[in-house]
Amino acid sequence: MEFWTSLASLMGVFAFFQTLLHAVIPPELRFASIKLFHRIFNYFSSHCYFDITEIDGVNTNELYNAVQLYLSSSASVTGSRLTLSRLLNSSSFTFGLSNNDRLTDTYRGVHASWEHVVTQRQSQGFTFRPVPDEKRCFTLRIKKKDKSLILDSYLDFIMAKATEIRRRNQDRLLYTNSRGGSLDSRGYPWESVPFKHPSTFETLAMDPMKKKEIMDDLKAFAEGESFYQKTGRAWKRGYLLYGPPGTGKSSMIAAIANYLSYDIYDLELTEVHTNSELRKLLMKTTSKSIIVIEDIDCSINLTNRKKPKSDNVSPIEMRTGINSSEDGNNNTITLSGLLNFTDGLWSCCGSERIFVFTTNHIEKLDPALLRCGRMDMHIFMSYCSFEALKILVRNYLGVDMDGDDFSDGLVKELEEVIEEAEMTPADISEVLIKNRLNKQKAMSELLEALKTRAERRRTASSAREENPMEEEVEVQEKRELEMPVEGDSGTDEEASGKAKEGGEGEKTN
């Protein structure tokens, strides 16, 4: 009891002297004394401190969010009291430091101590932008001798790592320009939905060697920032996917997006009216993205090499194809505008982007669109091969054709007939899906379908040999049906000839 009485007396004496000091010493002198004390302490201290606040003035501090995301990877392993959060469009949870908790990180042998400081914010008057009730910041404590290393590279490393973690945790997005090139209230021309396509290179029905070649090329592109800077090239790459319908061109695009963790911008050219709108759409795409134009030969007329209908047409109109809107629509996108979109100055306004064009008829495309620098890699999506068939059987039936589930005779017959049948992966997949509960029935029906298709092709081939003119007439009729309607028949013939020349040039390459 005496102890507590003595302690109370001492506290009273201390409060008396504190009141006396506040009354005798002016506030300015007290503030200067405290400031001098901190300077002396910092001078003799071997550490320095940096505060990274959540809000910088009225704006959100991007570095704070990056540090919070970066430390989540270490906090999930070493922390004992953590916070859990889930970002928008994210498929995983994010760990974080709790209030006033500490964590030590190591970078190039240097130790950096992080503390998450949370304090109550003093009440403020009226503001146009409300602020949180709590004031949050990260305090970085390092040794003074390591200051240059931390400021020069450590913080940049944190920003890059946070971007990588955010992209890895965030779901892919699929963008579309449903409004053409017009902007919404936020000044953005694209609309997005989560991209949930499950296609991967492992499930893609394609020859394994060909898949490995594509994957190696994609990996070299994604890791080639220093190479592109050194050679003075824009960090972009173009891929042309061509082949019959149902050979997996869309699945290939989805596999590329999932492999690189890139977003997809599905560009609908028929919704874009001018080259200017096309440039605006390009400017609003982000890095680490895939810009896709599917069925480019069916979207708009891109030949732009037609004979003018009037002698008064200027050479500039002949070269740029400004009069292409005469086909009956209001679309004035020209071949020149599309070429500048893929390989001009405007294509360099972003980095790490992939352009993917798809077509069923490569011979219809202008050779200028197919050259390297625009479409760097031409990928032929062929009919289903025997190696691709093995992948489809494993995907849909869950068995390996090299195992003991099927007889050697059945597997051998499939291998002999599949090349001649020229059946697409989509058609084969339908047979397997329909009979996926009965593996033997699925394989027997597939063999019959392949034999029927092969026999049909043999019959058609024999008929063409007996009457070769009939084949030429059929091809010409098909080509005329696919060509846009024109008033001048000579123009159609010239455009058809140019398309044929483009196809021959591609085969030569």
Side-chain angles (χ1 to χ4, degrees):
M1 190 68 180
E2 294 179 358
F3 170 77
W4 293 110
T5 304
S6 301
L7 181 61
S9 300
L10 289 174
M11 294 295 294
V13 172
F14 177 77
F16 171 75
F17 278 105
Q18 186 179 18
T19 305
L20 181 62
L21 289 175
H22 277 272
V24 174
I25 302 176
E28 294 81 4
L29 183 59
R30 292 200 307 269
F31 178 76
S33 301
I34 295 174
K35 189 174 181 181
L36 178 61
F37 173 77
H38 280 294
R39 285 185 177 181
I40 296 174
F41 176 79
N42 292 332
Y43 179 80
F44 288 101
S45 175
S46 61
H47 294 82
C48 57
Y49 300 82
F50 299 93
D51 290 334
I52 303 174
T53 59
E54 180 184 18
I55 298 177
D56 183 14
V58 295
N59 299 319
T60 302
N61 189 353
E62 185 179 354
L63 182 57
Y64 175 89
N65 295 331
V67 171
Q68 186 178 40
L69 196 57
Y70 168 73
L71 294 179
S72 66
S73 58
S74 300
S76 62
V77 179
T78 61
S80 57
R81 184 181 179 88
L82 307 174
T83 61
L84 285 173
S85 61
R86 186 169 181 172
L87 301 176
L88 182 66
N89 294 327
S90 176
S91 57
S92 61
F93 294 98
T94 301
F95 296 90
L97 291 178
S98 297
N99 299 346
N100 304 313
D101 199 2
R102 286 185 174 87
L103 179 67
T104 301
D105 185 38
T106 303
Y107 176 73
R108 295 184 182 180
V110 174
H111 297 288
S113 177
W114 291 95
E115 182 180 3
H116 192 208
V117 181
V118 181
T119 57
Q120 290 295 324
R121 191 183 301 273
Q122 296 180 356
S123 60
Q124 298 179 355
F126 174 77
T127 57
F128 289 98
R129 181 176 180 177
V131 294
D133 296 332
E134 293 180 337
K135 183 179 180 180
R136 294 182 286 267
C137 76
F138 284 103
T139 298
L140 173 62
R141 177 177 177 267
I142 59 173
K143 291 185 178 181
K144 291 182 177 179
K145 65 177 183 178
D146 303 325
K147 184 177 179 180
S148 59
L149 174 64
I150 295 298
L151 297 181
D152 291 342
S153 60
Y154 181 53
L155 296 181
D156 290 336
F157 170 77
I158 289 177
M159 294 290 290
K161 196 69 176 178
T163 302
E164 179 184 344
I165 295 173
R166 186 181 295 110
R167 180 166 294 277
R168 187 174 63 245
N169 294 340
Q170 190 175 15
D171 289 339
R172 307 281 73 74
L173 294 178
L174 175 62
Y175 293 87
T176 180
N177 58 316
S178 58
R179 295 185 304 273
S182 59
L183 307 179
D184 60 9
S185 58
R186 301 170 300 167
Y188 202 64
W190 297 96
E191 295 179 352
S192 65
V193 295
F195 182 70
K196 300 288 187 179
H197 202 294
S199 177
T200 63
F201 277 105
E202 184 179 356
T203 61
L204 194 64
M206 179 182 284
D207 183 80
M209 296 299 295
K210 194 173 183 179
K211 281 198 292 187
K212 185 179 184 306
E213 180 185 355
I214 298 171
M215 293 171 66
D216 291 343
D217 189 80
L218 291 169
K219 184 177 180 181
F221 167 78
E223 298 175 353
E225 180 179 8
S226 59
F227 168 78
Y228 282 89
Q229 289 181 350
K230 182 178 65 176
T231 56
R233 292 173 60 94
W235 193 9
K236 64 181 183 64
R237 192 153 180 82
Y239 293 88
L240 176 68
L241 309 182
Y242 67 99
T247 50
K249 292 184 283 294
S250 298
S251 297
M252 169 65 78
I253 296 172
I256 294 175
N258 291 327
Y259 180 67
L260 297 178
S261 298
Y262 284 8
D263 294 331
I264 297 179
Y265 289 85
D266 185 14
L267 178 60
E268 181 58 55
L269 284 180
T270 56
E271 296 291 334
V272 186
H273 303 299
T274 64
N275 292 336
S276 178
E277 288 185 358
L278 192 62
R279 287 194 295 268
K280 290 178 182 178
L281 289 169
L282 178 64
M283 291 172 61
K284 292 297 183 178
T285 59
T286 61
S287 300
K288 295 182 180 293
S289 61
I290 303 173
I291 302 173
V292 179
I293 302 179
E294 292 193 278
D295 297 324
I296 188 172
D297 57 299
C298 302
S299 298
I300 58 175
N301 186 2
L302 293 175
T303 56
N304 292 333
R305 304 198 178 210
K306 298 180 180 180
K307 193 178 299 181
K309 297 184 180 181
S310 174
D311 296 335
N312 297 327
V313 178
S314 65
I316 296 179
E317 291 177 333
M318 293 172 59
R319 178 172 56 88
T320 59
I322 294 177
N323 289 334
S324 61
S325 59
E326 296 178 1
D327 293 339
N329 55 29
N330 296 323
N331 195 307
T332 57
I333 297 179
T334 63
L335 176 62
S336 175
L338 188 61
L339 296 182
N340 288 330
F341 177 83
T342 57
D343 192 32
L345 293 176
W346 289 100
S347 67
C348 307
C349 62
S351 61
E352 199 171 354
R353 289 187 300 196
I354 292 177
F355 293 87
V356 178
F357 291 175
T358 70
T359 179
N360 297 333
H361 305 282
I362 190 175
E363 69 277 359
K364 290 186 178 182
L365 300 182
D366 195 289
L369 192 63
L370 305 178
R371 72 164 177 82
C372 293
R374 289 170 182 146
M375 295 295 106
D376 303 288
M377 191 173 186
H378 296 188
I379 303 174
F380 176 58
M381 307 297 292
S382 61
Y383 293 103
C384 188
S385 63
F386 183 66
E387 294 297 328
L389 176 62
K390 291 182 180 180
I391 298 175
L392 291 176
V393 171
R394 185 171 64 247
N395 291 342
Y396 295 112
L397 303 183
V399 294
D400 195 342
M401 289 182 60
D402 295 331
D404 299 330
D405 297 275
F406 308 110
S407 63
D408 295 338
L410 175 64
V411 174
K412 187 176 181 180
E413 281 188 273
L414 288 170
E415 185 177 5
E416 292 175 350
V417 75
I418 191 168
E419 297 293 342
E420 185 182 2
E422 289 190 355
M423 203 166 177
T424 65
D427 294 334
I428 293 179
S429 298
E430 182 58 32
V431 177
L432 297 178
I433 291 174
K434 184 174 61 177
N435 302 284
R436 63 184 181 277
L437 300 180
N438 190 333
K439 301 178 178 58
Q440 296 295 335
K441 182 180 179 182
M443 297 301 288
S444 60
E445 284 197 12
L446 176 60
L447 180 59
E448 290 300 321
L450 290 172
K451 288 182 177 179
T452 302
R453 183 70 63 89
E455 180 62 29
R456 190 182 305 163
R457 292 193 68 254
R458 282 194 295 267
T459 303
S461 178
S462 299
R464 286 194 298 268
E465 290 178 359
E466 295 176 359
N467 191 359
M469 295 299 296
E470 181 179 352
E471 178 187 4
E472 185 177 349
V473 171
E474 291 179 357
V475 172
Q476 184 65 26
E477 290 178 352
K478 182 179 178 182
R479 187 174 297 173
E480 290 177 356
L481 289 174
E482 293 174 346
M483 293 294 291
V485 178
E486 295 287 342
D488 187 0
S489 60
T491 304
D492 282 344
E493 294 174 0
E494 181 180 353
S496 177
K498 290 292 184 180
K500 185 176 181 180
E501 292 176 8
E504 294 175 353
E506 171 61 24
K507 292 177 182 178
T508 304
N509 293 338

